[in-house]
């Protein structure tokens, strides 16, 4: 089965090891891809775990009527295995409860501490 993050890899070779905690995301982009996969699969606990503690909400309720269908990475800045910060711009495509297809764009900031990437915040555009 192909990974929901649309990397082209299989789920087992791409996001599954990260979501299951077997490995840490090596880059900000890989964390972004795993978070998209978590949104697509309704994995709120992973989304909270991968959120930086300084900006993490107390709880997260996902909309079961939204079907996340495709992730396009538009740009990255830093976010490599030896960086402390990174930015990933993306467009996430979805289908709403009414069946209408739409997308949202965000420029997300990530922080790496103790070799672990976390989502810091994002700005929609």
């Amino acid at each position: 089965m192909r990974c929901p993050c649309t990397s082209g890899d299989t789920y087992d070779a791409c996001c599954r090891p990260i979501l299951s905690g077997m490995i840490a995301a090596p880059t900000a982009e890989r964390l972004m891809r795993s978070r998209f996969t978590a949104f697509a699969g309704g994995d709120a606990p992973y989304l909270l775990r991968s959120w930086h503690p300084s900006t993490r909400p107390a709880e997260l309720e996902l909309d079961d009527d939204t079907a996340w269908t495709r992730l396009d990475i538009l740009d990255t800045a830093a976010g490599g295995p030896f960086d402390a910060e990174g930015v990933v711009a993306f467009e996430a495509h979805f289908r709403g409860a009414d069946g209408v297809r739409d997308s949202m764009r965000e420029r997300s900031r990530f922080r790496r501490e103790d070799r672990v990437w976390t989502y810091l915040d994002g700005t929609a555009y």
Side-chain angles (χ1 to χ4, degrees), residues 38-108:
F39 272 105
D43 190 347
Y46 174 78
L47 291 165
L48 289 170
R49 280 193 316 275
S50 62
W51 209 312
H52 194 273
S54 70
T55 57
R56 179 189 307 137
E59 58 185 49
L60 182 63
E61 189 172 324
L62 301 178
D63 183 356
D64 292 335
D65 293 329
T66 300
W68 296 97
T69 58
R70 190 176 89 227
L71 175 67
D72 295 327
I73 301 296
L74 305 175
D75 189 29
T76 61
F82 303 107
D83 294 318
E85 295 184 352
V87 175
V88 178
F90 67 90
E91 183 170 12
H93 301 264
F94 63 92
R95 189 173 41 255
D98 55 5
V100 174
R101 295 176 186 264
D102 203 352
S103 68
M104 56 93 54
R105 287 182 173 211
E106 183 176 298
R107 199 165 174 74
S108 297

